[in-house]
Amino acid sequence: KKSDNEFVPPLSQRSSTTQGNLTGGSNSGILAYFQEVMKQSILICIENDRLLGFVSFREDYIPEHYPNAKLPNIYVSTLILSADSRGRGLTKQIYQHLFMERFPERSIYTRTWSTNAAHLKILSFYCFSQCMCIPNHRGEGIDTVYYELKR
């Protein structure tokens, strides 16, 4: 709930972690989105019995808007860190574990929005390449951008 409005569109306006239509949200509520997250694999980051964040992902998923995705793969659908946990390198640690240790041979896919500077910086750090862009997909001037880390 605390991170809901940090996403474009807000998570509470989505019915799925892989939803294709991202405008004119359904206002299905954050619980509906969370129930979809719980159907996926999840890596969590805990410190002193406190949840700092998580990443959810699907194995061997072909995105609706990017049918050229290669198998086997990992599709990162959601990454959330609590506001007070940011800036500590936790996203890099989570991605390091997921990409380099747990699934070192698989191509990795994800999507984000064009104004998500923090996530774009991480994707650049790991040498993800843009494989598709859907202009204005999340509203005027906000594109949906798909990225791939080839193996």
Side-chain angles (χ1 to χ4, degrees), residues 95-108:
Y95 273 4
Q96 175 74 24
H97 177 76
L98 186 65
F99 305 158
M100 308 303 181
E101 297 169 24
R102 188 152 179 202
F103 299 107
E105 303 296 322
R106 295 194 184 194
S107 292
I108 311 291

Side-chain angles (χ1 to χ4, degrees), residues 98-151:
L98 186 65
F99 305 158
M100 308 303 181
E101 297 169 24
R102 188 152 179 202
F103 299 107
E105 303 296 322
R106 295 194 184 194
S107 292
I108 311 291
Y109 295 92
T110 193
R111 71 178 178 182
T112 191
W113 57 96
S114 56
T115 58
N116 187 353
H119 198 206
L120 293 172
K121 184 177 177 181
I122 293 289
L123 296 175
S124 175
F125 176 83
Y126 279 105
C127 300
F128 274 76
S129 58
Q130 180 178 320
C131 53
M132 183 171 185
C133 179
I134 306 172
N136 302 314
H137 189 234
R138 297 178 188 235
E140 186 62 35
I142 306 173
D143 307 335
T144 293
V145 190
Y146 286 83
Y147 285 88
E148 174 182 22
L149 178 63
K150 293 181 182 179
R151 304 300 180 118

Side-chain angles (χ1 to χ4, degrees), residues 7 11-14 30 49 64 74 77 118 125:
F7 285 77
L11 300 177
S12 59
Q13 292 180 12
R14 303 181 195 192
I30 197 71
D49 295 325
E64 173 186 346
I74 300 298
S77 63
F125 176 83

Side-chain angles (χ1 to χ4, degrees), residues 43-54 82 84-85:
L43 290 176
I44 58 174
C45 185
I46 297 175
E47 182 179 73
N48 298 325
D49 295 325
R50 185 174 158 260
L51 178 66
L52 303 180
F54 72 90
S82 63
D84 59 347
S85 299

